[in-house]
């Protein structure tokens, strides 16, 4: 048995964001003859779930490793194998920190992407947020996302083009003798 790991962009999907019949047939055949196939992606689980079902992971036991490895799911067993989440307190701190620097943010939460209503998200950012148009999740605008969280999440993403004073930013993480002009 071999492990065949594929990323989504440019590997599983072609440059037109399509799963070709040839790729699909090859991966199904590999699974059928006993190889373990896994989708390994930085995207959230819901961006890979429908692709995994399309190549019969639910029949042959393929794995989906999403959110840069924070979540690993066995499609046949319908079981989470690994789930590293971000603590709610830390997410709230990250929200405050990002907003303090002038950035907007999004949170991947239970198959939805949460964003605050007052964030200015361009059409290009919205397209990027929805993972190149193939993610089957909606962007849900909320009044204050940080106050609505009831459990930990797997992925937090800072977005936008805020101007950041690099020295001030780095001083939040390193001592003054490390941060030089």
């Amino acid at each position: 048995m071999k492990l065949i790991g594929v990323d989504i962009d440019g590997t599983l999907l072609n440059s037109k964001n399509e799963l070709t019949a040839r790729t699909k047939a090859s991966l199904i055949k590999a699974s059928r003859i006993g190889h373990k196939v896994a989708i390994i992606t930085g995207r959230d689980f819901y961006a890979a779930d429908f692709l995994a079902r399309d190549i019969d992971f639910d029949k042959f036991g393929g794995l989906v490793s999403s959110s840069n490895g924070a979540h690993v799911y066995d499609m046949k067993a319908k079981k989470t194998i690994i789930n590293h989440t971000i603590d709610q307190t830390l997410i709230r701190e990250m929200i405050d920190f990002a907003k303090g620097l002038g950035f907007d943010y999004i949170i991947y939460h239970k198959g939805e992407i949460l964003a605050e209503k007052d964030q200015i998200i361009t059409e290009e950012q919205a397209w990027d947020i929805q993972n190149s148009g193939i993610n089957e999740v909606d962007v849900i605008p909320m009044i204050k996302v940080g106050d609505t969280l009831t459990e930990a999440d797997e992925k937090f993403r800072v977005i936008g083009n805020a101007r950041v004073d690099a020295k001030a930013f780095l001083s939040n993480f390193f001592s003054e003798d490390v941060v030089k002009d």
Side-chain angles (χ1 to χ4, degrees):
M1 176 174 60
K2 294 182 181 179
L3 172 65
I4 302 168
V6 294
D7 186 22
I8 292 177
D9 301 303
T11 306
L12 184 58
L13 302 180
N14 65 18
S15 61
K16 297 176 184 174
N17 283 333
E18 300 167 332
L19 174 61
T20 66
R22 180 178 178 198
T23 299
K24 180 178 175 177
S26 296
L27 292 174
I28 290 172
K29 180 179 179 183
S31 295
R32 189 179 302 123
I33 62 173
H35 300 303
K36 184 65 80 173
V37 180
I39 294 175
I40 302 169
T41 183
R43 295 178 184 215
D44 72 306
F45 174 75
Y46 299 94
D49 173 53
F50 73 100
L51 290 167
R53 284 184 275 118
D54 199 30
I55 52 179
D56 293 340
F57 275 23
D58 51 339
K59 286 183 187 175
F60 300 109
L63 302 173
V64 175
S65 173
S66 58
S67 297
N68 295 315
H71 184 252
V72 178
Y73 190 81
D74 183 320
M75 296 293 292
K76 184 176 182 181
K78 296 182 180 8
K79 179 180 176 186
T80 297
I81 299 169
I82 296 171
N83 193 32
H84 297 289
T85 58
I86 304 171
D87 180 75
Q88 286 181 25
T89 303
L90 180 57
I91 286 179
R92 286 185 178 91
E93 289 176 19
M94 291 167 35
I95 288 170
D96 292 342
F97 186 74
K99 288 174 81 172
L101 292 173
F103 285 102
D104 292 326
Y105 65 91
I106 57 174
I107 297 173
Y108 294 78
H109 179 76
K110 293 184 177 183
E112 297 175 332
I113 298 173
L114 308 179
E116 289 194 9
K117 282 185 178 182
D118 64 347
Q119 292 179 348
I120 299 171
I121 298 176
T122 66
E123 192 173 310
E124 181 179 322
Q125 286 172 320
W127 187 76
D128 182 50
I129 288 168
Q130 291 181 326
N131 293 305
S132 304
I134 67 152
N135 198 347
E136 291 190 341
V137 298
D138 294 321
V139 177
I140 309 297
M142 304 184 79
I143 293 172
K144 198 157 187 192
V145 172
D147 291 344
T148 64
L149 297 175
T150 57
E151 58 189 61
D153 290 284
E154 298 159 13
K155 195 167 181 180
F156 175 91
R157 184 171 170 194
V158 175
I159 59 173
N161 297 314
R163 294 193 168 268
V164 177
D165 176 345
K167 186 174 180 181
F169 176 77
L170 292 172
S171 67
N172 287 293
F173 304 100
F174 302 101
S175 62
E176 285 187 37
D177 59 317
V178 174
V179 180
K180 307 211 185 239
D181 289 325

